Amino acid sequence: MSRRTASAVAQGLRAVLAGSLLALFVLPILALLLYPSLGRLLTEAGDPGVDAALAFTLYASGLALVLVLLLGIPLGHLLARSRFPGRSIVEAAVALPVVVPHLIAGLALFLVVGPGTPVGAALTRAGIPVFATIWGVILVMVYVSAPYTVLASELAFRAVDPRLLEAARSLGATPAVAARTVALPLALRGIVAGAVLSWARAVSEIGGFLILAYTVYPSGPYTGPVTSPLSVYIYTVFQIDLADAAAISALFVLIAFGLFVAVRLLERFGRLPWPSGELPL
Amino acid sequence: MSAWACRGLSAHQGPFHLGPIDLELGRSEVVAVIGRSGAGKTTLLRTLAGFLPADAGSIGRDGTDLTTTPPEGRRAVYVPAGLALFPHRSVAGNIAYPLELAGGRADGPTVGDLLDRFGLAPLADRRPSTLSAGEQQRVALARSVAADPALLLWDEPLGALDLVAREALLAGLRTAQAGGGRPIVLVTHDPAVAAAIADRWLLLDGGRTAFLGSADACVARPPDPFAARFAGYANVLVPDDLARETGLRSLVADRAGNGGVATTPFIARPSDGEGGVTAVVDRRTPTPDGVRLTAHVGTLALELRAAADVGDRIRVGDRVAVNDDGTVVVPIGPTGV
């Protein structure tokens, strides 16, 4: 076999292998979108139960994302910019929610904040009951999704040239002002990418919800009807009717896709201050 | 009265130790920091700027001790070799940055003033990455002046500029300095820059001051071989060279210092085989007043020159006679051999 033929075979093999994986990514979503009729989609979109689960999930995931950003960006900045004893332990702790199966994570959270535990009882007395409420859903979402924002923030802050921060300080900025006016805008692109991953991870969670928030009762910031997180809702419907489950799933995929597109459009036509290029979504 | 004073200043970066350095800066003085790579030039600037803590000694401005003051409180603007322009801000945004930090200064220049002063008005909305090296340097300069510094610290400010851009920026530096009466300490590898703008040269060697004085003093008696090269001497012959090449020694030994001898190009003429110092020509470069020759005596390379009429008869590979008629010869180092 000549070298040219061998090269052609290798290229062909690579195309087949890469194409197979891409097909695995795309075909199920296509199947899902094509399975329900438009009529069924519209019916599900108008179903109060579906609407409640959908609205609740978007609402809870939005609140969880705010918490993830508030807590995750400082931790990412700390890991990127500071040296301290036990740093590797902190890094391992950040990776823990990614490697622990989420049903087990839900069980572990239940042992800490579930009803009957001292922490759970204290939270209930403080007006933040976790079991079967939006608080539990947010807790699970933050737990499973925050590592993506922490890790993306760490990488993004680490990529900011430290000489820019020195320049800012030399021009009169305190370390905090330099972080806000130089590091944060330059890291924003990476942070947004991490936040998008975090949000996607949060809304796709089910394991933790099965233990801690299978059914959600109104409490605190959620005053709507009794419902479930969408993933749990879909699984419940799936056990009864595949077509309904597929239609609700397709509806959610379309909404999620719309949100991704919106973020991209904001990046391209908005006035977001990241330097150049597109979001690495 | 000096505006800034460092006394016994020591600092370290990793295993490298700087100091002790004693340096006083007058209000409008420009000091060029020169030295080999790793001599401590950048370490000195970063210590003055407050990014490296002083291990010993003091830094003061107008009698106020700033040794432990953080960078943002020193009014000593440090511009690193890469300039560190903010990539997420426009030219105008970069220049506005220190003004925003100060909350706007009623008496100081506006962004518009600085854009005009440094010829940047047409580029106001551009991002730094779209500018030429010379334009970026002017932005860094304008941004520094916007911070109303009491000291400008420039690390290789004229790194990659053509002659025209260099002259323009040298003029800009003088303007910036004259306006506020602020001293400038600049690290440079470019003798032309050091000679053009600096009142004094600070030569660092291994983290210590090897020379601090006027360019004239450095040219008249270079403190070490590096300074001799920097001052523009074509030949720098250290004691080992003179010990090895006895012919050369006879030519210049009586004028050598303990660091050897520095010379402008020796004079070359075609060899008539009568003895004396001879060299073999390796390269021949025509110049407006004759030819410049690179030649070797034994293993030692030498720079020579010849008038046009003589140079016409010299070719690469020729053996030429070397003499010091009209060659400037000065000792290197503080004392005689």
Side-chain angles (χ1 to χ4, degrees):
Chain A
M1 190 160 58
S2 73
R3 184 174 292 180
R4 185 172 294 181
T5 315
S7 168
V9 169
Q11 282 188 15
L13 189 63
R14 185 180 63 182
V16 169
L17 293 174
S20 303
L21 189 59
L22 286 176
L24 181 63
F25 290 160
V26 174
L27 286 180
I29 300 299
L30 278 178
L32 181 72
L33 292 174
L34 295 173
Y35 188 85
S37 66
L38 186 62
R40 180 75 74 123
L41 267 182
L42 293 174
T43 306
E44 293 298 347
D47 183 280
V50 173
D51 288 349
L54 194 56
F56 169 78
T57 302
L58 291 174
Y59 177 53
S61 63
L63 292 178
L65 185 59
V66 170
L67 274 176
V68 162
L69 293 173
L70 277 177
L71 305 174
I73 294 173
L75 183 52
H77 189 261
L78 182 79
L79 287 171
R81 291 272 172 235
S82 307
R83 290 183 205 163
F84 52 89
R87 186 196 153 87
S88 55
I89 296 172
V90 173
E91 284 181 315
V94 170
L96 210 55
V98 179
V99 294
V100 171
H102 290 167
L103 196 67
I104 296 171
L107 198 62
L109 285 170
F110 185 83
L111 292 177
V112 177
V113 299
T117 65
V119 176
L123 285 171
T124 304
R125 277 199 302 278
I128 312 172
V130 173
F131 186 71
T133 68
I134 190 170
W135 299 115
V137 172
I138 290 173
L139 183 66
V140 169
M141 284 179 164
V142 170
Y143 185 88
V144 300
S145 72
Y148 299 94
T149 291
V150 174
L151 294 173
S153 303
E154 181 187 351
L155 287 177
F157 283 123
R158 202 171 274 175
V160 175
D161 187 343
R163 286 177 301 182
L164 297 174
L165 301 174
E166 285 193 354
R169 292 196 63 194
S170 194
L171 293 166
T174 61
V177 170
R180 183 170 55 77
T181 55
V182 178
L184 191 60
L186 290 172
L188 194 59
R189 204 176 152 204
I191 293 171
V192 169
V196 169
L197 284 177
S198 281
W199 181 79
R201 182 65 199 81
V203 295
S204 65
E205 172 59 14
I206 185 166
F209 299 152
L210 292 179
I211 303 278
L212 214 57
Y214 189 95
T215 306
V216 176
Y217 296 92
S219 173
Y222 180 63
T223 53
V226 177
T227 184
S228 293
L230 192 71
S231 53
V232 175
Y233 190 90
I234 290 171
Y235 183 69
T236 313
V237 173
F238 168 71
Q239 290 172 310
I240 303 162
D241 190 323
L242 172 63
D244 280 349
I248 301 166
S249 301
L251 204 59
F252 185 71
V253 166
L254 289 173
I255 290 170
F257 185 69
L259 285 172
F260 276 98
V261 170
V263 173
R264 270 185 167 271
L265 289 177
L266 201 61
E267 192 267 339
R268 182 160 292 181
F269 300 111
R271 300 280 298 167
L272 290 183
W274 43 77
S276 60
E278 296 179 17
L279 279 175
L281 293 180
Chain B
M1 182 188 148
S2 64
W4 288 73
C6 308
R7 301 200 201 288
L9 184 66
S10 299
H12 73 277
Q13 184 154 34
F16 178 79
H17 282 267
L18 171 80
I21 302 283
D22 289 292
L23 177 64
E24 296 201 351
L25 296 168
R27 289 212 180 278
S28 297
E29 193 177 20
V30 180
V31 172
V33 183
I34 61 176
R36 293 179 181 82
S37 293
K41 306 184 292 294
T42 296
T43 305
L44 173 62
L45 259 58
R46 289 171 53 78
T47 307
L48 291 173
F51 294 116
L52 290 173
D55 296 330
S58 66
I59 301 169
R61 184 187 72 224
D62 294 328
T64 306
D65 183 49
L66 299 175
T67 314
T68 56
T69 305
E72 59 270 24
R74 293 196 181 197
R75 292 184 60 210
V77 171
Y78 170 62
V79 182
L83 298 177
L85 296 176
F86 302 133
H88 60 300
R89 284 174 166 252
S90 65
V91 167
N94 267 275
I95 296 170
Y97 186 81
L99 299 173
E100 292 166 12
L101 289 176
R105 266 189 292 270
D107 54 339
T110 63
V111 176
D113 295 339
L114 290 164
L115 285 168
D116 287 339
R117 193 192 301 179
F118 290 94
L120 294 165
L123 309 173
D125 296 326
R126 299 258 297 271
R127 290 288 166 110
S129 59
T130 66
L131 304 180
S132 72
E135 290 164 345
Q136 289 182 5
Q137 307 247 23
R138 295 211 305 275
V139 177
L141 189 56
R143 187 179 69 174
S144 302
V145 172
D148 189 26
L151 172 63
L152 270 176
L153 300 164
W154 276 61
D155 203 342
E156 297 258 24
L158 308 148
L161 287 187
D162 58 45
L163 281 173
V164 176
R166 176 202 283 164
E167 286 307 315
L169 191 66
L170 281 173
L173 271 171
R174 289 193 192 96
T175 309
Q177 185 215 28
R182 55 181 66 97
I184 299 175
V185 178
L186 64 92
V187 168
T188 181
H189 283 121
D190 189 337
V193 169
I197 197 168
D199 302 301
R200 286 190 295 162
W201 292 4
L202 169 61
L203 170 68
L204 292 179
D205 186 16
R208 290 168 174 270
T209 302
F211 173 82
L212 176 60
S214 69
D216 289 343
C218 191
V219 171
R221 183 143 196 162
D224 71 7
F226 175 86
R229 288 265 179 224
F230 195 86
Y233 287 102
N235 297 304
V236 175
L237 306 171
V238 299
D240 277 355
D241 298 330
L242 297 175
R244 207 165 63 238
E245 299 302 335
T246 51
L248 276 175
R249 193 168 62 206
S250 67
L251 209 58
V252 297
D254 57 327
R255 285 164 286 180
N258 64 352
V261 66
T263 81
T264 56
F266 288 109
I267 310 302
R269 58 180 170 74
S271 173
D272 53 13
E274 283 185 356
V277 181
T278 60
V280 177
V281 175
D282 299 314
R283 196 167 67 232
R284 180 181 182 281
T285 311
T287 61
D289 59 351
V291 293
R292 186 78 178 250
L293 305 167
T294 303
H296 66 272
V297 178
T299 56
L300 189 65
L302 279 185
E303 291 293 317
L304 316 173
R305 66 183 169 85
D309 56 335
V310 179
D312 285 347
R313 291 183 281 138
I314 298 175
R315 294 284 171 267
V316 171
D318 287 356
R319 182 168 287 279
V320 294
V322 177
N323 67 68
D324 63 342
D325 295 340
T327 300
V328 176
V329 181
V330 297
I332 297 173
T335 56
V337 181

